[in-house]
Amino acid sequence: MLKLLLTLASGIAILSVVSAQAQDRELRIDCGATDVIMSADQALIVKENTEMTAEEIAKRTCEIFKDIDASAYTEPTDVTVKMPSGAEVKAKMQVSQK
């Protein structure tokens, strides 16, 4: 239940930033053992012009970055993932900060 609330809170934070289209803010998405940190612009790439809710954007982001072993990334480390559409999503990953 707590994890669901944290995911939902993350999703709400993403929605507010994406809606405002804040170009210079970074979003931190809790993906369990790791965090994905990305700009609002990169979150819009994940959204891919669909009507996703903030929670769905957070879930999709975790799915995109799930195959990267970030267990040794104690500091935010740059990563790039190519999506099936061919678009590249750039973010930083590190071990969860909770």
Side-chain angles (χ1 to χ4, degrees):
M1 180 69 169
L2 180 59
K3 184 169 177 99
L4 176 62
L5 291 174
L6 291 172
T7 301
L8 185 56
S10 296
I12 291 169
I14 290 169
L15 180 61
S16 64
V17 174
V18 171
S19 296
Q21 295 188 14
Q23 305 298 321
D24 57 341
R25 294 201 49 198
E26 288 189 330
L27 314 171
R28 182 176 291 268
I29 302 167
D30 176 10
C31 293
T34 58
D35 291 345
V36 176
I37 306 156
M38 66 174 49
S39 69
D41 285 344
Q42 295 300 296
L44 289 173
I45 292 171
V46 171
K47 190 175 184 300
E48 293 185 316
N49 299 319
T50 62
E51 294 301 319
M52 290 180 137
T53 66
E55 185 176 341
E56 291 167 333
I57 294 170
K59 181 180 176 184
R60 178 72 176 129
T61 299
C62 292
E63 289 170 358
I64 291 168
F65 288 89
K66 73 178 185 266
D67 293 331
I68 297 175
D69 180 7
S71 61
Y73 300 164
T74 57
E75 295 294 322
T77 302
D78 292 330
V79 295
T80 301
V81 173
K82 192 169 204 171
M83 295 179 47
S85 66
E88 288 188 346
V89 179
K90 297 177 183 181
K92 297 177 182 176
M93 292 184 74
Q94 79 177 111
V95 172
S96 182
Q97 298 299 291
K98 359 181 235 176

